[in-house]
Coordinates of all heavy atoms in Angstrom, one line a residue:
Q3 N -7.0 40.7 -8.6 CA -5.7 40.1 -9.0 C -5.5 38.7 -8.5 O -4.9 37.9 -9.2 CB -4.6 41.0 -8.6 CG -4.6 42.4 -9.4 CD -3.4 43.2 -8.9 OE1 -2.8 42.9 -7.9 NE2 -3.2 44.3 -9.6
L4 N -5.9 38.5 -7.3 CA -5.8 37.1 -6.7 C -6.5 36.1 -7.6 O -6.0 35.0 -7.8 CB -6.2 37.1 -5.3 CG -6.1 35.8 -4.6 CD1 -4.7 35.3 -4.5 CD2 -6.7 35.9 -3.2
Y5 N -7.7 36.5 -8.0 CA -8.5 35.6 -8.8 C -7.8 35.2 -10.1 O -7.9 34.0 -10.6 CB -9.9 36.2 -9.2 CG -10.7 35.3 -10.0 CD1 -11.4 34.2 -9.5 CD2 -10.9 35.5 -11.4 CE1 -12.1 33.3 -10.2 CE2 -11.7 34.7 -12.2 CZ -12.3 33.6 -11.6 OH -13.0 32.8 -12.4
E6 N -7.1 36.1 -10.7 CA -6.4 35.8 -12.0 C -5.2 34.8 -11.7 O -4.9 34.1 -12.6 CB -5.8 37.1 -12.5 CG -6.9 38.1 -13.0 CD -6.3 39.4 -13.4 OE1 -5.1 39.6 -13.5 OE2 -7.1 40.3 -13.7
Y7 N -4.7 34.9 -10.5 CA -3.5 34.0 -10.2 C -4.0 32.6 -9.9 O -3.3 31.6 -10.2 CB -2.8 34.6 -9.0 CG -1.6 33.7 -8.5 CD1 -0.5 33.6 -9.3 CD2 -1.8 33.0 -7.4 CE1 0.6 32.8 -8.9 CE2 -0.7 32.1 -6.9 CZ 0.4 32.0 -7.7 OH 1.4 31.2 -7.3
L8 N -5.2 32.5 -9.3 CA -5.6 31.1 -8.9 C -6.2 30.4 -10.1 O -6.8 31.0 -11.0 CB -6.7 31.2 -7.8 CG -6.3 31.8 -6.5 CD1 -7.5 31.9 -5.6 CD2 -5.3 30.9 -5.8
N9 N -6.0 29.1 -10.1 CA -6.6 28.3 -11.1 C -7.3 27.1 -10.4 O -7.3 27.0 -9.2 CB -5.5 27.8 -12.2 CG -4.5 26.9 -11.5 OD1 -4.7 26.2 -10.6 ND2 -3.3 27.0 -12.0
T10 N -8.0 26.3 -11.2 CA -8.8 25.2 -10.6 C -8.0 24.3 -9.8 O -8.4 23.9 -8.7 CB -9.5 24.4 -11.7 OG1 -10.2 25.4 -12.5 CG2 -10.4 23.4 -11.2
I11 N -6.8 23.9 -10.2 CA -6.0 23.0 -9.4 C -5.6 23.6 -8.1 O -5.7 22.9 -7.0 CB -4.7 22.7 -10.2 CG1 -5.1 21.8 -11.4 CG2 -3.7 21.9 -9.3 CD1 -3.9 21.5 -12.3
Q12 N -5.3 24.9 -8.0 CA -4.9 25.5 -6.8 C -6.1 25.6 -5.8 O -6.0 25.4 -4.6 CB -4.3 26.9 -7.0 CG -2.9 26.8 -7.6 CD -2.5 28.1 -8.1 OE1 -3.2 28.9 -8.7 NE2 -1.2 28.4 -7.9
I13 N -7.3 25.9 -6.4 CA -8.5 25.9 -5.6 C -8.8 24.6 -5.0 O -9.2 24.5 -3.8 CB -9.7 26.5 -6.5 CG1 -9.4 28.0 -6.8 CG2 -11.0 26.3 -5.7 CD1 -10.3 28.6 -7.8
V14 N -8.7 23.5 -5.8 CA -9.0 22.2 -5.3 C -8.0 21.8 -4.2 O -8.4 21.3 -3.1 CB -8.9 21.1 -6.5 CG1 -8.8 19.7 -5.9 CG2 -10.0 21.3 -7.4
K15 N -6.7 22.1 -4.4 CA -5.7 21.9 -3.4 C -6.0 22.6 -2.1 O -6.0 22.1 -1.0 CB -4.3 22.2 -3.9 CG -3.2 21.8 -3.0 CD -1.8 21.9 -3.6 CE -1.3 23.2 -3.7 NZ 0.1 23.3 -4.1
F16 N -6.4 23.9 -2.2 CA -6.8 24.7 -1.0 C -8.0 24.1 -0.3 O -8.0 24.0 0.9 CB -7.0 26.1 -1.5 CG -7.4 27.1 -0.4 CD1 -6.4 27.4 0.6 CD2 -8.6 27.6 -0.2 CE1 -6.7 28.3 1.6 CE2 -8.9 28.4 0.8 CZ -8.0 28.8 1.7
A17 N -9.0 23.7 -1.1 CA -10.2 23.1 -0.5 C -9.8 21.8 0.3 O -10.4 21.5 1.3 CB -11.2 22.8 -1.6
L18 N -8.9 21.0 -0.3 CA -8.5 19.8 0.4 C -7.8 20.1 1.7 O -8.1 19.4 2.7 CB -7.6 18.9 -0.5 CG -8.3 18.2 -1.7 CD1 -7.2 17.7 -2.7 CD2 -9.1 17.1 -1.2
I19 N -7.0 21.1 1.7 CA -6.3 21.5 2.9 C -7.3 22.0 4.0 O -7.2 21.7 5.1 CB -5.2 22.5 2.6 CG1 -4.1 21.8 1.8 CG2 -4.6 23.1 3.9 CD1 -3.0 22.7 1.2
L20 N -8.2 22.8 3.5 CA -9.3 23.3 4.4 C -10.0 22.1 5.0 O -10.4 22.1 6.2 CB -10.2 24.2 3.7 CG -9.7 25.6 3.5 CD1 -10.8 26.5 2.7 CD2 -9.3 26.3 4.8
F21 N -10.3 21.1 4.2 CA -11.1 19.9 4.7 C -10.3 19.2 5.8 O -10.8 18.8 6.8 CB -11.3 19.0 3.5 CG -11.8 17.6 3.9 CD1 -13.1 17.4 4.3 CD2 -10.9 16.5 3.9 CE1 -13.5 16.1 4.7 CE2 -11.3 15.3 4.3 CZ -12.6 15.1 4.7
V22 N -9.0 19.0 5.5 CA -8.1 18.4 6.5 C -8.1 19.1 7.8 O -8.3 18.5 8.9 CB -6.7 18.2 6.0 CG1 -5.7 17.7 7.1 CG2 -6.7 17.2 4.8
W23 N -7.9 20.4 7.8 CA -7.9 21.2 9.0 C -9.2 21.2 9.7 O -9.3 21.2 10.9 CB -7.4 22.7 8.7 CG -5.9 22.7 8.5 CD1 -5.2 22.7 7.3 CD2 -4.9 22.7 9.6 NE1 -3.9 22.7 7.6 CE2 -3.6 22.7 8.9 CE3 -5.0 22.6 10.9 CZ2 -2.5 22.7 9.7 CZ3 -3.8 22.6 11.7 CH2 -2.6 22.6 11.0
A24 N -10.3 21.3 9.0 CA -11.6 21.3 9.6 C -11.9 20.0 10.3 O -12.3 20.0 11.4 CB -12.7 21.6 8.5
C25 N -11.5 18.9 9.6 CA -11.7 17.6 10.2 C -10.8 17.5 11.5 O -11.3 16.9 12.5 CB -11.2 16.5 9.3 SG -12.4 16.2 7.9
T26 N -9.6 18.0 11.5 CA -8.7 17.9 12.6 C -9.3 18.6 13.8 O -9.4 18.1 14.9 CB -7.4 18.6 12.2 OG1 -6.8 17.8 11.2 CG2 -6.4 18.6 13.4
F27 N -9.8 19.9 13.6 CA -10.3 20.6 14.7 C -11.7 20.2 15.2 O -12.0 20.3 16.4 CB -10.3 22.1 14.4 CG -8.9 22.6 14.4 CD1 -8.3 23.0 13.2 CD2 -8.1 22.7 15.6 CE1 -7.0 23.5 13.2 CE2 -6.8 23.1 15.5 CZ -6.2 23.5 14.4
V28 N -12.5 19.8 14.2 CA -13.9 19.4 14.6 C -14.0 18.0 15.2 O -14.7 17.8 16.2 CB -14.8 19.5 13.3 CG1 -16.2 18.9 13.6 CG2 -15.0 20.9 12.9
Y29 N -13.2 17.1 14.7 CA -13.3 15.7 15.2 C -12.1 15.2 15.9 O -12.2 14.7 17.0 CB -13.7 14.7 14.0 CG -13.8 13.3 14.6 CD1 -14.9 12.9 15.3 CD2 -12.7 12.4 14.4 CE1 -14.9 11.6 15.9 CE2 -12.8 11.1 14.9 CZ -13.9 10.8 15.7 OH -13.9 9.5 16.2
F30 N -10.9 15.4 15.3 CA -9.8 14.7 15.9 C -9.2 15.3 17.2 O -8.8 14.6 18.1 CB -8.7 14.6 14.8 CG -9.0 13.7 13.7 CD1 -9.6 14.1 12.6 CD2 -8.7 12.3 13.9 CE1 -10.0 13.2 11.5 CE2 -9.1 11.4 12.8 CZ -9.7 11.9 11.7
V31 N -9.3 16.6 17.3 CA -8.8 17.2 18.6 C -9.7 16.8 19.7 O -9.2 16.3 20.8 CB -8.8 18.8 18.4 CG1 -8.6 19.4 19.8 CG2 -7.7 19.2 17.5
P32 N -11.1 16.8 19.6 CA -11.9 16.3 20.7 C -11.7 14.8 20.9 O -11.7 14.4 22.1 CB -13.4 16.6 20.2 CG -13.2 17.7 19.2 CD -11.9 17.5 18.5
A33 N -11.5 14.0 19.9 CA -11.4 12.6 20.1 C -10.1 12.3 20.9 O -10.0 11.5 21.8 CB -11.3 11.9 18.7
H34 N -9.0 13.0 20.5 CA -7.8 12.9 21.3 C -7.9 13.4 22.7 O -7.2 12.8 23.6 CB -6.6 13.5 20.5 CG -6.1 12.7 19.4 ND1 -6.6 12.8 18.1 CD2 -5.1 11.7 19.3 CE1 -5.9 12.0 17.3 NE2 -5.1 11.3 18.0
G35 N -8.7 14.4 22.9 CA -9.0 14.8 24.2 C -9.7 13.7 25.1 O -9.3 13.5 26.2
K36 N -10.6 13.0 24.5 CA -11.3 11.9 25.2 C -10.3 10.8 25.5 O -10.3 10.2 26.6 CB -12.4 11.3 24.3 CG -13.6 12.2 24.2 CD -14.6 11.6 23.3 CE -15.8 12.5 23.0 NZ -16.8 12.0 22.1
I37 N -9.4 10.5 24.6 CA -8.3 9.5 24.8 C -7.4 9.9 26.0 O -7.1 9.1 26.8 CB -7.5 9.2 23.5 CG1 -8.4 8.6 22.5 CG2 -6.3 8.4 23.8 CD1 -7.8 8.5 21.1
S38 N -7.1 11.2 26.0 CA -6.2 11.8 27.1 C -6.9 11.6 28.4 O -6.2 11.5 29.5 CB -5.9 13.2 26.8 OG -5.1 13.4 25.7
Q39 N -8.3 11.7 28.4 CA -9.0 11.5 29.7 C -9.3 10.1 30.0 O -10.0 9.8 31.0 CB -10.3 12.3 29.6 CG -10.1 13.8 29.5 CD -11.4 14.6 29.2 OE1 -12.4 14.0 29.0 NE2 -11.3 15.9 29.2
G40 N -8.8 9.2 29.2 CA -8.9 7.7 29.6 C -9.9 7.0 28.8 O -10.1 5.8 29.0
D41 N -10.6 7.6 27.8 CA -11.6 6.9 27.0 C -10.8 6.2 25.9 O -10.5 6.8 24.9 CB -12.6 7.8 26.5 CG -13.7 7.1 25.6 OD1 -13.6 5.9 25.5 OD2 -14.6 7.8 25.1
T42 N -10.6 4.9 26.1 CA -9.9 4.2 25.0 C -10.8 3.0 24.5 O -10.3 1.9 24.2 CB -8.6 3.6 25.5 OG1 -8.8 2.8 26.7 CG2 -7.6 4.7 25.9
S43 N -12.1 3.4 24.4 CA -13.0 2.4 24.0 C -12.7 2.0 22.5 O -12.2 2.8 21.7 CB -14.5 2.9 24.0 OG -14.6 4.0 23.1
K44 N -13.1 0.7 22.2 CA -12.8 0.2 20.9 C -13.6 1.0 19.8 O -13.0 1.3 18.8 CB -13.2 -1.2 20.8 CG -12.9 -1.9 19.5 CD -13.2 -3.4 19.5 CE -12.9 -3.9 18.1 NZ -13.1 -5.4 18.0
Q45 N -14.8 1.5 20.2 CA -15.6 2.3 19.2 C -14.9 3.6 18.9 O -14.8 4.0 17.7 CB -17.0 2.5 19.8 CG -17.8 3.4 18.9 CD -19.2 3.8 19.5 OE1 -19.4 3.4 20.7 NE2 -20.0 4.4 18.8
L46 N -14.4 4.3 19.9 CA -13.7 5.6 19.6 C -12.5 5.4 18.8 O -12.2 6.1 17.9 CB -13.4 6.3 21.0 CG -12.6 7.6 20.9 CD1 -13.4 8.6 20.1 CD2 -12.2 8.0 22.2
L47 N -11.7 4.4 19.2 CA -10.4 4.2 18.5 C -10.7 3.7 17.0 O -10.0 4.1 16.1 CB -9.6 3.1 19.2 CG -9.1 3.5 20.6 CD1 -8.3 2.4 21.3 CD2 -8.3 4.8 20.6
T48 N -11.7 2.9 16.8 CA -12.0 2.5 15.5 C -12.5 3.6 14.6 O -12.1 3.8 13.5 CB -13.1 1.4 15.5 OG1 -12.6 0.3 16.3 CG2 -13.5 0.9 14.1
Q49 N -13.3 4.5 15.2 CA -13.8 5.7 14.5 C -12.6 6.6 14.1 O -12.5 7.1 13.0 CB -14.8 6.5 15.3 CG -16.2 5.9 15.4 CD -17.1 6.7 16.2 OE1 -16.7 7.6 16.9 NE2 -18.4 6.3 16.2
L50 N -11.7 6.7 15.1 CA -10.5 7.6 14.8 C -9.7 7.1 13.7 O -9.3 7.8 12.8 CB -9.7 7.6 16.1 CG -8.6 8.6 16.2 CD1 -9.1 10.0 16.2 CD2 -7.7 8.4 17.4
V51 N -9.5 5.8 13.6 CA -8.7 5.2 12.5 C -9.4 5.3 11.2 O -8.9 5.7 10.2 CB -8.3 3.7 12.9 CG1 -7.7 3.0 11.6 CG2 -7.4 3.6 14.0
N52 N -10.7 4.9 11.2 CA -11.5 5.0 10.0 C -11.6 6.4 9.4 O -11.5 6.6 8.2 CB -12.9 4.4 10.2 CG -12.8 2.9 10.4 OD1 -11.9 2.2 10.0 ND2 -13.8 2.3 11.1
R53 N -11.8 7.3 10.3 CA -12.0 8.7 9.8 C -10.6 9.3 9.4 O -10.6 10.2 8.5 CB -12.6 9.6 10.9 CG -14.1 9.3 11.0 CD -14.7 10.1 12.1 NE -16.1 9.7 12.2 CZ -16.9 10.2 13.1 NH1 -16.5 11.0 14.1 NH2 -18.2 9.8 13.2
N54 N -9.6 8.8 9.9 CA -8.2 9.3 9.6 C -7.9 8.9 8.1 O -7.1 9.6 7.5 CB -7.2 8.8 10.5 CG -5.9 9.6 10.3 OD1 -5.9 10.8 10.5 ND2 -4.8 8.9 10.1
W55 N -8.5 7.9 7.6 CA -8.3 7.5 6.2 C -8.7 8.7 5.2 O -8.1 8.9 4.2 CB -9.0 6.2 5.8 CG -8.2 5.0 6.3 CD1 -8.5 4.2 7.3 CD2 -6.9 4.6 5.8 NE1 -7.5 3.3 7.5 CE2 -6.5 3.5 6.6 CE3 -6.0 5.0 4.8 CZ2 -5.3 2.8 6.4 CZ3 -4.9 4.4 4.6 CH2 -4.5 3.2 5.4
W56 N -9.8 9.4 5.6 CA -10.2 10.5 4.8 C -9.1 11.6 4.8 O -8.8 12.2 3.7 CB -11.5 11.1 5.3 CG -12.6 10.2 5.0 CD1 -13.3 9.4 5.9 CD2 -13.2 10.0 3.7 NE1 -14.3 8.7 5.2 CE2 -14.3 9.0 3.9 CE3 -13.0 10.5 2.4 CZ2 -15.0 8.5 2.9 CZ3 -13.8 10.0 1.4 CH2 -14.8 9.1 1.6
R57 N -8.5 11.9 5.9 CA -7.4 12.8 5.9 C -6.2 12.3 5.2 O -5.5 13.1 4.5 CB -7.0 13.1 7.4 CG -8.0 14.0 8.1 CD -7.4 14.6 9.4 NE -6.7 13.6 10.2 CZ -6.0 13.9 11.3 NH1 -6.0 15.2 11.8 NH2 -5.4 13.0 12.0
T58 N -5.9 11.1 5.3 CA -4.8 10.5 4.6 C -5.0 10.6 3.1 O -4.1 11.0 2.3 CB -4.6 9.0 4.9 OG1 -4.4 8.9 6.3 CG2 -3.5 8.4 4.2
L59 N -6.2 10.3 2.6 CA -6.5 10.5 1.2 C -6.4 11.9 0.7 O -5.8 12.2 -0.3 CB -8.0 10.0 0.9 CG -8.5 10.2 -0.5 CD1 -7.6 9.4 -1.5 CD2 -9.9 9.8 -0.6
A60 N -6.9 12.9 1.5 CA -6.8 14.3 1.2 C -5.4 14.7 1.1 O -5.0 15.4 0.1 CB -7.6 15.1 2.2
W61 N -4.5 14.4 2.1 CA -3.1 14.7 2.0 C -2.4 14.1 0.8 O -1.5 14.7 0.2 CB -2.4 14.4 3.3 CG -2.6 15.4 4.4 CD1 -3.1 15.2 5.7 CD2 -2.3 16.8 4.4 NE1 -3.1 16.3 6.4 CE2 -2.6 17.4 5.6 CE3 -1.8 17.7 3.4 CZ2 -2.5 18.7 5.9 CZ3 -1.7 19.0 3.7 CH2 -2.0 19.5 4.9
T62 N -2.8 12.9 0.5 CA -2.2 12.2 -0.6 C -2.5 13.0 -1.9 O -1.7 13.2 -2.8 CB -2.7 10.7 -0.7 OG1 -2.3 10.1 0.5 CG2 -2.1 10.0 -1.9
L63 N -3.8 13.4 -2.0 CA -4.2 14.2 -3.2 C -3.5 15.5 -3.3 O -3.0 15.9 -4.4 CB -5.7 14.4 -3.2 CG -6.5 13.1 -3.5 CD1 -8.0 13.4 -3.3 CD2 -6.3 12.6 -4.9
V64 N -3.3 16.1 -2.1 CA -2.5 17.4 -2.1 C -1.1 17.2 -2.6 O -0.6 18.0 -3.4 CB -2.6 18.0 -0.7 CG1 -1.5 19.2 -0.6 CG2 -3.9 18.5 -0.3
T65 N -0.5 16.1 -2.1 CA 0.9 15.8 -2.6 C 0.9 15.5 -4.1 O 1.8 16.0 -4.7 CB 1.4 14.5 -1.8 OG1 1.3 14.8 -0.4 CG2 2.8 14.2 -2.2
I66 N 0.0 14.7 -4.6 CA 0.0 14.5 -6.0 C -0.2 15.7 -6.8 O 0.5 16.0 -7.8 CB -1.1 13.4 -6.3 CG1 -0.7 12.1 -5.8 CG2 -1.4 13.3 -7.8 CD1 -1.8 11.0 -5.8
I67 N -1.1 16.6 -6.4 CA -1.3 17.9 -7.1 C -0.1 18.7 -7.0 O 0.3 19.3 -8.1 CB -2.5 18.6 -6.5 CG1 -3.8 17.8 -6.8 CG2 -2.6 20.0 -7.0 CD1 -5.0 18.3 -6.0
S68 N 0.6 18.8 -5.9 CA 1.8 19.6 -5.8 C 2.9 19.1 -6.7 O 3.6 19.9 -7.3 CB 2.3 19.6 -4.3 OG 1.3 20.2 -3.5
L69 N 3.0 17.7 -6.7 CA 4.1 17.2 -7.6 C 3.7 17.5 -9.1 O 4.6 17.8 -9.8 CB 4.1 15.6 -7.4 CG 4.8 15.2 -6.1 CD1 4.6 13.7 -5.9 CD2 6.2 15.6 -6.0
Y70 N 2.5 17.4 -9.4 CA 2.0 17.7 -10.8 C 2.4 19.2 -11.1 O 2.9 19.4 -12.2 CB 0.5 17.5 -10.9 CG 0.0 18.0 -12.2 CD1 0.1 17.3 -13.4 CD2 -0.7 19.2 -12.3 CE1 -0.4 17.7 -14.6 CE2 -1.2 19.7 -13.4 CZ -1.1 19.0 -14.6 OH -1.6 19.5 -15.8
Q71 N 2.1 20.1 -10.2 CA 2.4 21.5 -10.4 C 3.9 21.7 -10.5 O 4.3 22.5 -11.4 CB 1.9 22.3 -9.2 CG 0.4 22.4 -9.2 CD -0.1 23.2 -8.0 OE1 0.3 23.0 -6.9 NE2 -1.0 24.2 -8.3
M72 N 4.7 21.0 -9.8 CA 6.2 21.1 -9.9 C 6.7 20.6 -11.2 O 7.5 21.2 -11.9 CB 6.9 20.4 -8.8 CG 6.7 21.1 -7.4 SD 7.5 20.3 -6.0 CE 8.4 19.0 -6.6
I73 N 6.1 19.5 -11.7 CA 6.6 18.9 -12.9 C 6.2 19.7 -14.1 O 6.9 19.8 -15.1 CB 6.0 17.4 -13.0 CG1 6.7 16.5 -12.0 CG2 6.2 16.9 -14.4 CD1 6.1 15.2 -11.8
T74 N 5.0 20.3 -14.1 CA 4.5 21.0 -15.3 C 4.8 22.5 -15.3 O 4.5 23.2 -16.2 CB 2.9 20.9 -15.4 OG1 2.3 21.4 -14.2 CG2 2.6 19.4 -15.6
K75 N 5.6 22.9 -14.3 CA 5.9 24.3 -14.2 C 6.9 24.7 -15.2 O 7.8 24.1 -15.6 CB 6.5 24.6 -12.8 CG 6.4 26.0 -12.4 CD 6.8 26.2 -10.9 CE 6.4 27.5 -10.5 NZ 6.7 27.7 -9.1

């Protein structure tokens, strides 16, 4: 029954959210741990900012999809 309820848009939105959470726990939590321990190297901070753009893009797409779903409901 769950399969009947899900459509492609919802699956894409769910995949984007999983991507964001995976990135957060795999990369961003350890990176912030390094920063907390005093590693404020330019390389680490640059990587953090650059990789965060992927999360920003994913959350933006989730927002657009959600707005689309609300409008077309």
Side-chain angles (χ1 to χ4, degrees):
Q3 290 178 348
L4 180 61
Y5 179 76
E6 293 173 7
Y7 177 73
L8 294 176
N9 61 34
T10 304
I11 291 175
Q12 290 169 318
I13 293 169
V14 168
K15 188 166 79 169
F16 182 69
L18 287 167
I19 292 170
L20 284 179
F21 168 78
V22 169
W23 282 100
C25 287
T26 298
F27 289 112
V28 169
Y29 179 74
F30 290 93
V31 170
H34 281 90
K36 290 178 184 177
I37 292 170
S38 294
Q39 294 174 356
D41 181 1
T42 56
S43 67
K44 184 175 180 177
Q45 178 184 3
L46 176 63
L47 298 177
T48 300
Q49 285 179 350
L50 192 66
V51 170
N52 289 339
R53 289 180 180 172
N54 196 55
W55 282 109
W56 288 104
R57 287 195 313 175
T58 302
L59 175 63
W61 278 124
T62 301
L63 291 172
V64 167
T65 302
I66 290 168
I67 291 168
S68 297
L69 289 172
Y70 171 79
Q71 288 177 312
M72 287 179 7
I73 292 169
T74 60
K75 200 170 194 180

